[in-house]
Amino acid sequence: MLDREGLHLLLNRPGAGAAGHPDDAGRLPAPGGWSRFQLVVGDLDAELTRLMKAGVRIRTGMVAGGGGRQAVIEDPSGNAVELFEPPGGQG
């Protein structure tokens, strides 16, 4: 993680953590389409439920890993946005 003036940049390599998993349609991570912003949330289940009801496209359902839980949604332009819940839901 790179940290400067309140901005945290998390980098990951293909195949590491949940970022290396295929999406719900079976597509594997590929250059140019898997970079994303991460938003920390306190209750991932509640956020996913709210967003699904609002018609937001869910790219990956909830994935649990050593650092917490995450899901990837798409903004209206198709860009990936990761919702991340740290252990204990302290978003």
Side-chain angles (χ1 to χ4, degrees), residues 15 17 19-20 28 38 42 70 80 86:
L28 295 172
Q38 182 186 73
Q70 72 176 44

Side-chain angles (χ1 to χ4, degrees), residues 13-36:
R13 63 179 171 73
H21 290 254
D23 68 10
D24 290 353
R27 295 176 297 191
L28 295 172
W34 290 80
S35 298
R36 57 190 180 244

Side-chain angles (χ1 to χ4, degrees), residues 16-89:
H21 290 254
D23 68 10
D24 290 353
R27 295 176 297 191
L28 295 172
W34 290 80
S35 298
R36 57 190 180 244
F37 287 98
Q38 182 186 73
L39 301 176
V40 178
V41 300
D43 185 342
L44 182 59
D45 297 317
E47 288 299 325
L48 281 176
T49 298
R50 184 180 68 82
L51 293 167
M52 284 189 285
K53 287 180 181 177
V56 172
R57 184 177 183 282
I58 308 297
R59 187 181 283 191
T60 66
M62 193 279 298
V63 176
R69 301 183 326 145
Q70 72 176 44
V72 179
I73 62 170
E74 290 186 358
D75 73 7
S77 297
N79 300 303
V81 178
E82 178 182 323
L83 304 176
F84 175 74
E85 179 187 272

